[in-house]
Amino acid sequence: MADIWRPVKGVKIKVAKTGLFLFQFAHAIDMEGVLQRGPWMFDNHMLIMERTHLGVQIENIPLYHVDFWVQVHNLPVGLMVEKAGTKLANYIGAFVEYDKNNNSSFWRQYMRLRVQVDVRQPLKKDSRVKNKGGE
């Protein structure tokens, strides 16, 4: 993973127990970059990553949530706004971020949302959205 992430100041990877690892970044900017660019896969397995805090045992950190970028297609232009995106994201999981950079083109094809998903729940897909007029 260190070869893929390429942290400027480096990272140490330790096995805490089978299937549970501790990634210790030498600089907070490297850690934030890895967390923001995820989710990550290793050997066809999802890496569920969470910040640790002093005094908390690694085994007691709940590893149930992953942030995903979601594309929402076929929305009318008037609904491709952050307010509508927040509601859609909260239906899927929990709203994290609206991609304002994707909002720069009038002809954009979809809305991008970062959504925190509980990996213990089944994914939601192919949902229909109605506007105030019922369309």
Side-chain angles (χ1 to χ4, degrees):
M1 293 310 300
D3 289 341
I4 295 169
W5 294 336
R6 298 185 188 268
V8 175
K9 297 286 187 176
V11 61
K12 294 178 184 176
I13 303 172
K14 299 177 184 176
V15 177
K17 67 177 196 178
T18 304
L20 188 62
F21 302 88
L22 177 64
F23 299 96
Q24 184 178 10
F25 292 89
H27 200 282
I29 292 175
D30 290 332
M31 179 188 69
E32 289 300 326
V34 167
L35 292 173
Q36 288 297 315
R37 291 189 317 265
W40 298 98
M41 301 285 289
F42 180 77
D43 197 25
N44 283 331
H45 295 283
M46 175 74 59
L47 289 181
I48 302 175
M49 303 176 78
E50 190 65 52
R51 289 176 183 82
T52 60
H53 301 284
L54 289 174
V56 177
Q57 291 182 337
I58 294 170
E59 295 86 2
N60 294 335
I61 298 172
L63 297 172
Y64 304 127
H65 298 93
V66 177
D67 291 353
F68 289 95
W69 280 106
V70 175
Q71 294 180 359
V72 181
H73 292 262
N74 300 323
L75 281 178
V77 174
L79 289 179
M80 281 208 217
V81 294
E82 186 170 357
K83 184 177 179 181
T86 300
K87 289 181 181 181
L88 290 169
N90 285 328
Y91 169 75
I92 297 167
F95 174 79
V96 175
E97 180 182 357
Y98 175 79
D99 184 4
K100 290 179 174 66
N101 293 330
N102 192 54
N103 199 14
S104 60
S105 169
F106 178 76
W107 299 107
R108 67 186 186 276
Q109 300 291 318
Y110 56 88
M111 177 177 12
R112 287 185 72 221
L113 307 166
R114 193 160 176 94
V115 181
Q116 185 179 74
V117 176
D118 186 331
V119 296
R120 299 168 296 177
Q121 302 297 320
L123 293 174
K124 297 177 183 174
K125 66 176 194 163
D126 295 336
S127 296
R128 304 269 182 220
V129 178
K130 291 183 182 180
N131 64 14
K132 290 181 180 178
E135 295 178 358

